[in-house]
Structure formats: structure tokens, C-alpha cells
Amino acid sequence: MLSRPAWVQVASTATLQFGWDDAVGGVERFAWSTASAQAVSAALRMAPRGRMALALGLFEWIVWRMDGLHDRTEPLTVLEAGWCATADPRYLRFFELSRSAWIGPVEGPLWMGMTWLHHALSGGVDRPRDLYDGIDLLTRLSLHVQPVPAALIGWLAPVLDRLVTECPAVPDDPLADLFGRDPASRMGPWVSRHWLDPMTPVHAQDGYQFLSQLLAQARADANPFLAGWDDLADAGFSGTPDVPR
């Protein structure tokens, strides 16, 4: 299971001072911010894996903000399966979590974050608008729940620059995957979770090593949000299961 990374600087037990109303739906409750606009603008210049890693990094700020304030296992298992999906989106199993079972200023944001993340990652290659919307919403939500938003904003700027540099967007080649059977081939370079730490240098081989180890660990843990081998076969996955391609 993933542990809290050093780059998430938040006191999870801090007083919940943000407003929350489960009866009010939609993103309108979270203020538009320069940070969310900058995140989407930068995402436009990233390959799909860079965008997916950014969405996951923003979700991590929500997960670790709420760490220790609930006894749910789903946020961490969704996070783990989400990182596996950066190898291939088909690794993330379809799921729906009951809204009525996730209520209040702790579980409500977690439910919203997981729901938006799933929508973003599932459509990350063939439906890029879903991923841009997810980055926008996750940026706003993560800022909304932080006791000190400046910490997240200070992290975001160098990470956006890094992902644009290390995982740049490339022109779509309509012949590269004509029938949409190999989305992994159109996602750009492998991205490691370590790349989201501005204090850690980037090494090209980090992404493949990270994903190989994570896929093995998630399968050993029987992560319920990780697609099974039969699921992958049904989705048209080819190659060796749980080996990044």
C-alpha cells in the first residue's frame, strides 16, 4: 500500500475549517482559482501520462489531508489502482461508490475526489476533455480542503513545469493505434510518482520501475479496483498482464 509522500505537506488532523454541504452538488461550491487555470493550461502541453499523474497528485493532497480522520480503505486502494492506470487506463476497474454512504466534510470530499479521478483517468487517452475537467475540479477541491492552501500552490508550480518538460505533448498520429486497441502506446513516457517531488531528480527509468513494482504489489494485495486478468482480456488488452508495455 502506498504511504504518504514527503511532498504532501499537510497536517491531516488540522481543524476542518472549510465549508461543506452534502446537499449542494456541483463544482460551483469551489471557487475558481488561478491555480486551477494554470493546471489545465499546463496539462494541455503534456502527454496523457503527465496529465494523469497530475490528476493523481492532486488527489493525493485530498487523500492525505483526510488521513487519520476516517477508517475507510477505499481512498488508498483507488489511489493505488489509479497509479496503475498510468501504465494503461484499462487497469482501473469501473466502479461507482454510493453517494449516500459518503457523507460529511471528511468522506464527502473523498467520495467526490474518487469519482472525479475515476472519470478523468478512464477517459484520459481517448476523451481528453474528461481529464482536463478532472484536473480543474481536483485542483479546486484539493485547495478547498487544505488548512494551508499555500503549501499546495507552492508544490503545484514546479510540478507543472516538470511534467511539461519530462512528459511533453506530441501530435496525435491517427495511424499509430487505428482501432484504439493499444492506448498505452499513445500515452507518452512512463511517469513515476517520485517525479511529483520537486526535490527529487528525474531519471528516465524511474517510471517503468515504479509501475512494475506497483502493479505487482497491487495484484498481491488483491486491490479491488485493479482490473482482473479476465477484465483486461475483455477490454482487448494484449501482452503480459501486469507488465507495463
Side-chain angles (χ1 to χ4, degrees), residues 2-241:
L2 295 172
S3 58
R4 176 174 164 174
W7 44 267
V8 176
Q9 297 294 322
V10 58
S12 61
T13 56
T15 304
L16 299 175
Q17 298 178 326
F18 54 87
W20 191 262
D21 183 355
D22 289 303
V24 179
V27 72
E28 62 272 8
R29 79 177 76 177
F30 312 117
W32 178 90
S33 71
T34 301
S36 61
Q38 290 173 338
V40 173
S41 177
L44 291 168
R45 293 177 284 135
M46 299 175 195
R49 279 199 178 96
R51 300 168 193 160
M52 295 170 76
L54 175 58
L56 284 155
L58 292 164
F59 179 61
E60 294 226 25
W61 280 86
I62 301 167
V63 169
W64 301 111
R65 166 67 179 97
M66 303 304 179
D67 188 38
L69 302 177
H70 63 93
D71 58 2
R72 299 279 197 166
T73 60
E74 291 92 339
L76 280 178
T77 48
V78 166
L79 177 62
E80 182 180 64
W83 275 110
C84 292
T86 66
D88 189 306
R90 291 171 290 189
Y91 280 121
L92 182 61
R93 173 175 279 160
F94 174 80
F95 67 87
E96 288 183 329
L97 300 174
S98 172
R99 181 68 184 92
S100 62
W102 295 77
I103 300 297
V106 172
E107 296 187 1
L110 288 169
W111 176 87
M112 194 164 286
M114 288 185 287
T115 300
W116 286 344
L117 182 72
H118 179 271
H119 186 64
L121 298 184
S122 296
V125 181
D126 296 318
R127 300 190 305 277
R129 178 62 181 270
D130 292 350
L131 190 44
Y132 299 138
D133 287 346
I135 289 170
D136 173 36
L137 300 174
L138 287 165
T139 304
R140 294 202 235 173
L141 176 59
S142 58
L143 284 169
H144 182 74
V145 302
Q146 296 307 311
V148 184
L152 192 159
I153 293 172
W155 164 85
L156 185 61
V159 166
L160 293 178
D161 290 341
R162 170 172 282 188
L163 291 174
V164 169
T165 299
E166 301 295 338
C167 203
V170 295
D172 289 333
D173 180 356
L175 301 179
D177 183 24
L178 188 59
F179 299 104
R181 295 172 179 169
D182 186 18
S185 68
R186 296 179 281 121
M187 293 173 62
W190 307 110
V191 179
S192 171
R193 187 178 184 229
H194 306 303
W195 289 14
L196 300 187
D197 185 349
M199 304 304 295
T200 300
V202 167
H203 301 289
Q205 69 274 19
D206 286 349
Y208 186 86
Q209 293 175 353
F210 164 70
L211 289 171
S212 297
Q213 294 170 2
L214 187 65
L215 282 164
Q217 185 62 55
R219 189 68 67 198
D221 292 341
N223 186 313
F225 299 102
L226 185 68
W229 293 342
D230 289 344
D231 298 323
L232 291 172
D234 291 342
F237 186 94
S238 60
T240 304

